[in-house]
Structure formats: C-alpha cells, structure tokens
Amino acid sequence: MSENGKAIDAPATEDPPYLQPGSIVEVNPQDEDCPRAWYTAIIIERRATSTNHKRYVVHCTDLFQERNRETKPFMEYNSVDIRPLPPPLPPRKFKVGDIVEAYCGDGWYEGKIAIVLHDDTYIFQMSPMCLLVGVNQLRLHRTWFNGNWIQPLDESELAVEAEDSTEKVTEMDSNKGVILESEADNAEASKSGTGNILEGSGQITIEEEVFGEGQLVEVANDEDDFNQAWWSATIVKPVGNNRYLIRYETLGTEGDTGFLEKEMNSLHIRPPPPHIPVPRQFKMFDNVNALYKGGWCMGVIIQVLSGGSKYEVYLDNQEKMEFKHSDLRLHQDWINGKWTKPSPEV
C-alpha cells in the first residue's frame, strides 16, 4: 500500500478475481456488538497459513482506526468473511418491512425499513436501534453464497416458508412407541436442560417451574414475535409441561368486564421489566413501549409534540398514535433470563 492509500501491484494468485490483490471488497469483522456490518476494503495480499484456511490482509477504506489522525486499519480475514462489492441496482422506493442495508458513517449495516417518511427518507431499524436515513444511504440486502448474490424473498415467498415451517412432523418410534413431535417443539420442551424427565405415560415431558404462584408477570398477546403486546398478569398455578394458568390484571380486549384466566407456555411469559426513569422527556427515535388498550406495545417516537409531554409514536402494527408521557416506558428486551437495556443513542 502506497502512502496515498492506493493499492500497490502484487503477484496474482489462483484465487477468484475478487480475492486478487488490489480488488475492492467488503469484509465482515464478526463483531458481537454489530454482527451484520460490512466495511469496504482493498485486498493487499494472501497470507500463507499452516491450515486450509485462506487468510488475506486488507486495508479498510472507510473504517477509521484513529479518526483524529485519519488512520485506517490493516486487518486480516478468512475468505468466508470477505465478499465482492454487490453489483449496483437501479434506484428504487423502499417499503415497510424491506430487508435492507444502510450506510452509517463507516459501513453497511443490515436491518429493515420501519417507517416510510416523505422526501425519500426512512426510519431504518437495526434492532433495538432506529436511525433516520435517506434513500441514497440504502441498498437492498443481498447475501453472497457459493459465488452468487441472493436477494431476500418477497412477501409471498416468505408467507409460504412461514406456513411450511409451522407444520408439525409426527412420527412413531417403532422401538419405544414414543410420540416425537417436530424438532422445534422438542427444543421448546427441553429449553432449560434441567428439570425432571417423566417417562411411563408413553410420552417424554420435562417439568420445571420457572414462575411461582402469585408472581406478577407480563404475558404476550399471541405467539407471534412481531407485532407483540404484553399484558400484566398473575401466575395462578403451574399446570405442567412448562405451562401456567395465568390471570390477566388488565383487560385484554375492549368490552371485557372482569379478570380473565388462560393457560400459557412459559416462552410467552416474562417478569415485569425494571423501571428506567425518564425525568424530563423522551427523545426522537427512542424505542418505547406504549400502553395501548391495556397492553404494552412496542413503537418508535417519531415526533415530540409541543410542551414535551405528548408524543407521536409509530407502533409495530404500523399505526401512528399520540401518547402521554405517563403512558410510555423505554423498551427493554428479555433475553436468556435477563433484561437488556436499550442501546445508547446512535
């Protein structure tokens, strides 16, 4: 690499064209903080290794090692973490739900379109953060696989795949006569890896009490991970097989006049999130939960109204609604038995 940042000539290798010295590529550092980011770089040389792994030295063109000194890093990657530049696509309009990549300062980050605004601007969601981006900062997400670029499925294809994936496959074990359901059901039943395995009734079940009687919890409105709302409830009692009888403490639907009881799987039950105080006001693009019809729905603040005590919120169900400060809380995720606070603002 010369002092002015241009690639110097280097001997060609037997690698494909995009891995030749001097080629412009994109690299994925597999960073745990942002595993779906791609950075533009130039191939410098292929490193000799004692294994079958092909490793390459690259010079990043947009990613800064020290921004104050404007120095950009040289890094070493396996070939599986390098891909050619995606071929350009004609200009297009994006719609809500499109899987895209947004250029944010130093690289391309994978996410989806959450809101379509005016003048070719969009709210780009890279869970759990949201960013305001222009159409020139977006490109359709594509995957480099076996030497080809693969575009994401459209909505009709996704619907067919989702339907196929939910079908249960039941088979009879000829030796033991045990009914085995789909792998997803078995994984759900044995999620914790602890508890008592009960045999003798012809089926294998795992008993574990995650929640106790009388415990205050929140329960999901359905089994859909998207467009999900959470209601306050109390555990009445465990009923076995990771299921609980719960009693709603807030009304689930309009017109209800009393508490409702229902059996639910533990995967759709969680403790109430810890309170995060917001002393003054929420900010634009804060990820929040809004109290709507008795349940907490996820949304994004898209406008702080006059006075700062009311906000326009774009809910996951694609409705725009106005909420008071007291009907909002900062969004938190329940992951692996722990509450994860919202990421710092980008």
Side-chain angles (χ1 to χ4, degrees):
M1 176 68 66
S2 64
E3 292 182 358
N4 61 9
K6 293 184 178 180
I8 58 176
D9 293 333
T13 68
E14 59 185 14
D15 296 320
Y18 76 93
L19 289 176
Q20 297 293 331
S23 298
I24 301 176
V25 294
E26 291 184 346
V27 295
N28 180 2
Q30 297 292 337
D31 188 346
E32 292 183 359
D33 294 331
C34 192
R36 294 181 174 180
W38 290 89
Y39 303 97
T40 306
I42 297 174
I43 299 287
I44 302 302
E45 64 178 0
R46 176 176 169 182
R47 281 286 171 86
T49 65
S50 58
T51 65
N52 292 328
H53 295 293
K54 296 181 179 179
R55 296 186 64 82
Y56 300 82
V57 175
V58 305
H59 183 231
C60 295
T61 61
D62 297 342
L63 183 65
F64 284 92
Q65 187 171 29
E66 292 186 40
R67 187 173 292 273
N68 293 337
R69 299 182 180 180
E70 296 189 351
T71 58
K72 297 173 181 179
F74 287 83
M75 296 183 176
E76 189 173 316
Y77 290 96
N78 287 326
S79 59
V80 294
D81 299 321
I82 305 174
R83 68 184 189 183
L85 285 180
L89 293 174
R92 60 173 292 162
K93 299 285 187 180
F94 295 96
K95 61 183 184 297
V96 172
D98 277 351
I99 305 301
V100 297
E101 294 171 4
Y103 189 82
C104 303
D106 52 12
W108 292 93
Y109 296 81
E110 183 182 339
K112 68 178 181 179
I113 299 297
I115 307 174
V116 178
L117 301 174
H118 56 83
D119 297 330
D120 287 335
T121 56
Y122 302 85
I123 301 298
F124 168 75
Q125 183 177 11
M126 179 179 60
S127 182
M129 299 177 293
C130 287
L131 300 172
L132 178 66
V133 297
V135 68
N136 293 331
Q137 294 173 260
L138 293 171
R139 68 186 186 188
L140 188 68
H141 170 67
R142 287 166 287 175
T143 301
W144 178 251
F145 182 73
N146 283 345
N148 296 289
W149 285 105
I150 302 174
Q151 294 191 174
L153 299 177
D154 60 31
E155 293 180 357
S156 60
E157 293 172 309
L158 287 172
V160 171
E161 284 207 345
E163 183 178 348
D164 292 342
S165 66
T166 55
E167 293 181 358
K168 289 186 177 180
V169 180
T170 305
E171 60 179 338
M172 181 66 69
D173 185 307
S174 58
N175 296 325
K176 297 182 181 178
V178 178
I179 298 177
L180 302 177
E181 293 187 338
S182 69
E183 292 182 2
D185 292 335
N186 285 327
E188 179 177 309
S190 60
K191 180 182 178 184
S192 64
T194 59
N196 299 320
I197 300 178
L198 305 178
E199 297 182 271
S201 60
Q203 293 185 337
I204 297 178
T205 61
I206 295 180
E207 295 287 337
E208 181 186 15
E209 294 184 9
V210 180
F211 303 101
E213 290 185 17
Q215 183 175 346
L216 186 64
V217 294
E218 289 186 347
V219 296
N221 59 331
D222 54 38
E223 297 186 358
D224 186 2
D225 289 335
F226 300 96
N227 191 24
Q228 198 171 66
W230 294 84
W231 273 267
S232 295
T234 299
I235 299 293
V236 177
K237 63 178 180 180
V239 294
N241 198 24
N242 288 323
R243 300 185 68 82
Y244 296 82
L245 180 65
I246 62 96
R247 182 179 66 246
Y248 287 99
E249 300 297 341
T250 54
L251 304 183
T253 58
E254 292 183 289
D256 290 335
T257 57
F259 295 130
L260 299 176
E261 293 189 353
K262 180 181 179 180
E263 279 191 21
M264 299 198 73
N265 191 288
S266 62
L267 293 179
H268 308 295
I269 305 174
R270 68 184 190 184
H275 175 63
I276 299 179
V278 180
R280 295 186 178 179
Q281 65 180 42
F282 295 93
K283 302 184 295 295
M284 287 279 288
F285 311 127
D286 273 350
N287 291 275
V288 296
N289 296 142
L291 189 59
Y292 178 52
K293 295 184 178 180
W296 291 98
C297 304
M298 185 174 176
V300 179
I301 290 179
I302 58 175
Q303 188 174 359
V304 179
L305 302 178
S306 59
S309 60
K310 291 186 177 181
Y311 308 86
E312 187 175 8
V313 178
Y314 185 87
L315 300 175
D316 265 11
N317 61 7
Q318 301 183 18
E319 287 188 64
K320 296 179 184 178
M321 298 191 65
E322 186 177 307
F323 290 93
K324 299 183 297 184
H325 187 282
S326 58
D327 289 334
L328 297 175
R329 69 186 187 190
L330 287 174
H331 174 72
Q332 300 176 75
D333 291 305
W334 178 247
I335 302 175
N336 294 330
K338 295 181 180 180
W339 283 107
T340 301
K341 295 182 180 180
S343 297
E345 182 182 8
V346 176

